[in-house]
Amino acid sequence: MERDWETYPGEVSDSEVDLRDSNDDELYYSSASLPRSNLSKARWNRATGMAHVVEQKGKMWITTGIIRAGINYCSLEETLYLVEIGALILMDDKDSCISLEDLYMKVAEEKDGCCWERFCAYKHLKSLGYIVGQHGVPWSVKDVTSTTEIEDVTAKMVANLQFDEMRPVFDVYLPNSKFRKSAPGDPAFVVCLSRSNPPSRLKLETLERQYGIPMKICHVDHGHASFFSFDKVDLPVLP
C-alpha cells in the first residue's frame, strides 16, 4: 500500500511540529530583520565542494553540518537553505559574497553531490522541523587534519545521486532538544530520491532489510516534494 508521507499517521505532521521547542532557530531568521553582524559566515571550498563555517551564530549549528577536527562543514543543500532563509553569509576564497543565483547554478549543474531533488527534499524536511543528516556520513569525527576526508564525504554524496539505484541520501531524526552530533543515535527513517516511478514493494523491503531502518521515497515534481512509503495491509476475508 502506497502512502503519501505528508499525511502519514504516526509521524510528526506539519501541525504537530512546534519549531519553537526544537534545537533549530534558523526558521526565525530573516535577512531583513537581522543585521549582518548577527549572521553566521562560511567560505566555499571548491576542492571539497562544501562550505567551511568560519563564524557560527545561533543554535542551528547543533543540527547542521558535519564536524571534522573542530570545524563545521556544510553540504551544498545545507548552505543554500541557510542562505535562502537569511541565516548565513557565504563567501568565496577572496572574501566576496556568493549570491543565491550562484548557488542555484551550482545545484543546477548537479555537482558537489547536490541536485534540485536533493535540495527540495532537504528543504521540505527542515521546514517541518526534522533533523536531517547525510546518510552514512558521521556527524562528528575527531583527529582529522586534512581535507581528504571531507572530499571523500562529497564523493559519497555524488555517488548517492544515482537515482536508479535507489540509494539512501538522508538520515532523518525527529525534533530533539537533546540531539548531539557526537551521539546522534539511530535515525527515525532514511530517505531515498526517485526521479521516476516509486520502486516496487520488493525493492523497498530489500532496502529496509539491508539498512535495518524504515525508508521513505521522495519524488519531486515542479519543486514540490512528496514522500511515500509502503505498508502491508491485511484485507478482511469476505463471507
Side-chain angles (χ1 to χ4, degrees), residues 105-165:
M105 286 300 298
K106 289 181 180 293
V107 175
E109 292 171 355
E110 297 194 2
K111 296 181 179 179
D112 302 320
C114 191
C115 63
W116 282 118
E117 290 88 347
R118 186 184 181 104
F119 171 68
C120 289
Y122 178 85
K123 180 177 180 178
H124 185 82
L125 291 166
K126 290 291 287 185
S127 69
L128 293 179
Y130 287 97
I131 299 170
V132 185
Q134 310 295 334
H135 176 73
V137 177
W139 287 86
S140 176
V141 174
K142 298 179 180 179
D143 302 326
V144 176
T145 58
S146 69
T147 61
T148 302
E149 202 275 342
I150 298 298
E151 292 173 352
D152 290 342
V153 169
T154 306
K156 182 179 181 65
M157 291 188 291
V158 171
N160 285 344
L161 291 183
Q162 305 299 318
F163 291 88
D164 294 339
E165 298 184 17

Side-chain angles (χ1 to χ4, degrees), residues 116-118 120-121 193-194 218-226:
W116 282 118
E117 290 88 347
R118 186 184 181 104
C120 289
L193 297 178
S194 173
C218 178
H219 180 74
V220 177
D221 183 28
H222 294 91
H224 177 74
S226 298

Side-chain angles (χ1 to χ4, degrees), residues 58-109:
K59 296 184 294 181
M60 62 188 178
W61 299 108
I62 296 175
T63 58
T64 304
I66 58 173
I67 297 177
R68 298 296 185 269
I71 299 174
N72 212 340
Y73 293 88
C74 289
S75 64
L76 181 52
E77 64 266 15
E78 291 173 318
T79 303
L80 176 54
Y81 176 72
L82 294 179
V83 173
E84 269 197 344
I85 64 175
L88 179 70
I89 297 174
L90 183 65
M91 303 171 291
D92 60 20
D93 53 6
K94 297 181 181 179
D95 288 339
S96 297
C97 288
I98 297 176
S99 67
L100 268 175
E101 290 75 13
D102 290 335
L103 286 175
Y104 290 143
M105 286 300 298
K106 289 181 180 293
V107 175
E109 292 171 355

Side-chain angles (χ1 to χ4, degrees), residues 25-26 28-42 53 55-61 82 85-89:
D25 57 353
E26 66 261 34
Y28 297 96
Y29 280 94
S30 170
S31 57
S33 61
L34 282 179
R36 292 173 67 89
S37 60
N38 289 340
L39 300 180
S40 297
K41 297 179 181 179
V53 182
E55 190 172 340
Q56 299 183 175
K57 299 291 181 67
K59 296 184 294 181
M60 62 188 178
W61 299 108
L82 294 179
I85 64 175
L88 179 70
I89 297 174

